[in-house]
Every structure is written in C-alpha cells, then in structure tokens.
C-alpha cells in the first residue's frame, strides 16, 4: 500500500503523499480539517483512481501510466524561447481533450533541470485537437525533466514525466546545501520542521520582507502557496497545494510523508504585490523508509 492509500491514517486534511498532491495552509493540527479536503479525495475517488493506488512507483518517474502517455512534440535549443508543444494520449491512442480543473488549471507543467538547479511552473494552452503549447526557455544546455500533472475526466490524478535534452556543453552543478532559509527578490522564507520517512512530518514555511512578516499574501492558483518537491537522484515528484485558509501569511503549514531517506528539493511559489516568486530549499529526510522503485539520492 503506497502513501496515497495510507493518507487517511496519518492526516485527515492537509496532507502530502508520494503519488499525489498535498495541502499547504494555515497552521493546524493533522486532524483539524475535514477528510474531503484531502487532495486526492482518497475515500471518494473514482474507480480509476483507486486502481492507481496499487502502483507503488512515485509519480513523475514514468512517461506512461494507466494507458496515458506524455508525448513531447518540440525540441528546444539553449537560450532560445520556444513554443513547446506536447500531447497527452489516452488508452485509445488519441490526444486527451477533456480534463478536470484542479487548482484553477486543467494541467500543470513543471520543468526542472536534472541537477535541480532550475525550476519553472508553467500553464500551457490547449488547442481544439488536444495538443498543448507553452512558451518555454531553457537557458543552458543539459538534461531537463518535464512533468505534466493532470486528471482526465473520468480518471484519477496522474503525473507523467519525460526528459528534455538540450544540446551543448553541459556542466552539472552540485545539489545546493541543506538550508533552513531562502531569499528571493528581497523576501526571506524560513522552513521549520523535518522530513521523516514513513510518517507525516509537519513543515511550516514563513514569509517575511525587510524583517517583517508578510500577512497579505495574494492567492495563486486559488491558494496562498504552491509547493513542488522532488527527490534528488531520480526526481520522484510530489505536488503540493494549500487547503483553503483565511490567513494570508506569514505561515504556510503542511504535512509531508516521504518514502525514503535522502535529499529533497522544495520549490515554493507564492504571490505578493502582484508577482509570483519561487523560494527553493534542499531538505534532508533522515532514516530509512519503505523500499521504493528507483530510490536514490545525494548525500553530503
């Protein structure tokens, strides 16, 4: 049984699982929110989503799952803005045209460098034939990983991944050191809490500017924070979303369950003064969790 199936046992509300999304919101205990707020709606999921929980492979490691396949249609050159196109084909082999809206969008498109030094959260536009397109610039040569996070109508949530290779001289950078604070555009984001494999771990992100707490965060994708976490080494994917909250900062809290020890990269999107900014951290999970296919990570 993977983390999605065990979700209700750990958190009846704001929760995160490998193989699904989690919530970020106001500071609450793990049992404060009603069960229907859990991202994957585990107790009421359609049949296709229940079937998916039998697969213990973390999300984003497969280009095809449950009959759905991510198909890139465009090559990218370093530093050249490109109208990147792709499709998601369904079990019938045709491009999927009907998607559920999740967090204000039908599909979330994440592109990161394989060394986890760069991160982009994009929202493509779909044409009438089911193809998606988005303006994409990959500044440097190297290997990148693209993730499509979506839920087809009548099916469960999926995250499919594929590599994008950009020609040129490539010098991978070392993973940033584990840290408790990140700065971006004059904002400081602090991380409290620790990742512990196999159990719900409380993490709290606090946003400040010029030494003062930010209490007027603006909604982004229907919430005050949006988090993506990736396991170093294989880039297993974890998508994070907040639950509804009346507090607009400074604290954003979630419960994370990771499947293994090792290093993880956390990318927090938040909006303030009309602009979305991304704060990034390297966090380490100590201990040994349940065995997972493809588990690997960086050590320092």
């Amino acid at each position: 049984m993977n983390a999605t199936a065990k979700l209700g046992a750990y958190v009846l509300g704001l929760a995160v699982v490998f193989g699904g999304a989690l919530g970020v919101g106001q500071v609450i205990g793990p049992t404060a929110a009603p069960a229907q707020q859990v991202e994957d709606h585990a107790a009421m999921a359609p049949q296709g989503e229940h079937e998916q929980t039998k697969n213990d492979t973390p999300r984003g490691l497969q280009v095809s799952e449950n009959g759905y396949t991510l198909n890139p249609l465009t090559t990218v050159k370093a530093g050249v803005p490109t109208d990147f196109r792709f499709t998601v084909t369904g079990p019938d082999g045709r491009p999927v045209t009907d998607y559920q809206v999740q967090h204000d969008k039908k599909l979330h498109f994440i592109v990161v460098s394989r060394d986890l030094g760069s991160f982009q959260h994009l929202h493509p536009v779909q044409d009438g034939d089911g193809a998606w397109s988005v303006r994409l610039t990959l500044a440097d040569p190297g290997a990148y990983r693209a993730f499509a996070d979506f839920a087809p109508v009548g099916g469960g949530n999926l995250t499919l991944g594929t590599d994008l290779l950009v020609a040129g001289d490539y010098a991978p950078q070392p993973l940033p050191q584990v840290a408790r604070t990140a700065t971006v555009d004059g904002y400081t984001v602090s991380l409290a809490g620790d990742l512990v494999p196999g159990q719900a771990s409380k993490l709290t992100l606090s946003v400040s500017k010029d030494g003062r707490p930010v209490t007027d965060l603006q909604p982004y994708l229907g919430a005050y924070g949006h988090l993506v976490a990736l396991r170093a080494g294989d880039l297993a994917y974890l998508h994070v979303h907040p639950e509804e909250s009346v507090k607009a900062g400074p604290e954003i809290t979630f419960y994370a369950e990771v499947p293994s020890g090792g290093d993880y990269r956390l990318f927090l999107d938040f909006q303030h003064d009309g602009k979305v900014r991304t704060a990034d951290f390297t966090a380490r999970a100590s201990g040994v969790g349940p065995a997972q296919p493809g588990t690997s990570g960086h050590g320092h």
Side-chain angles (χ1 to χ4, degrees), residues 24-262:
V24 181
Q26 64 193 63
V27 181
I28 59 173
T31 61
Q36 61 266 30
Q37 291 179 339
V38 176
E39 176 62 26
D40 280 334
H41 309 284
M44 298 180 292
Q47 183 63 32
E49 191 161 348
H50 283 302
E51 291 174 355
Q52 183 181 336
T53 64
K54 298 176 183 178
N55 186 353
D56 287 335
T57 302
R59 289 180 184 256
L61 298 181
Q62 301 181 101
V63 72
S64 184
E65 184 177 353
N66 292 353
Y68 294 89
T69 302
L70 174 60
N71 308 283
L73 304 176
T74 310
T75 58
V76 181
K77 296 181 178 180
V80 179
T82 302
D83 290 323
F84 185 81
R85 300 180 72 250
F86 64 94
T87 62
V88 176
T89 52
D92 61 1
R94 299 178 181 178
V96 177
T97 57
D98 295 324
Y99 294 81
Q100 303 175 41
V101 174
Q102 296 186 311
H103 313 287
D104 293 344
K105 300 293 180 179
K106 292 183 177 181
L107 186 144
H108 297 262
F109 194 63
I110 309 296
V111 181
V112 298
S113 58
R114 270 282 178 182
D115 62 11
L116 292 174
S118 71
F119 171 89
Q120 296 183 61
H121 181 173
L122 306 171
H123 296 105
V125 176
Q126 187 183 28
D127 66 23
D129 295 326
W132 295 90
S133 62
V134 66
R135 195 71 166 171
L136 175 63
T137 302
L138 300 179
D140 301 310
Y144 295 79
R145 187 72 173 170
F147 302 94
D149 186 353
F150 63 94
V153 170
N157 184 259
L158 294 168
T159 303
L160 303 179
T162 189
D163 283 342
L164 305 178
L165 303 179
V166 180
D169 293 334
Y170 170 49
Q173 300 300 307
L175 196 72
Q177 293 292 320
V178 173
R180 291 287 184 177
T181 61
T183 57
V184 53
D185 292 346
Y187 292 83
T188 299
V189 182
S190 300
L191 172 65
D194 296 295
L195 295 172
V196 179
Q199 69 180 54
S201 305
K202 180 180 178 180
L203 303 178
T204 301
L205 295 163
S206 300
V207 183
S208 64
K209 185 178 182 182
D210 299 326
R212 298 180 180 180
V214 175
T215 58
D216 57 345
L217 292 172
Q218 298 165 323
Y220 172 59
L221 301 176
Y224 291 119
H226 186 283
L227 186 68
V228 170
L230 297 165
R231 182 169 57 186
D234 62 1
L235 275 62
Y237 176 95
L238 183 65
H239 206 174
V240 185
H241 284 288
E243 71 166 4
E244 185 177 351
S245 172
V246 296
K247 291 187 176 182
E251 294 184 337
I252 309 169
T253 296
F254 60 93
Y255 290 82
E257 184 182 336
V258 296
S260 67

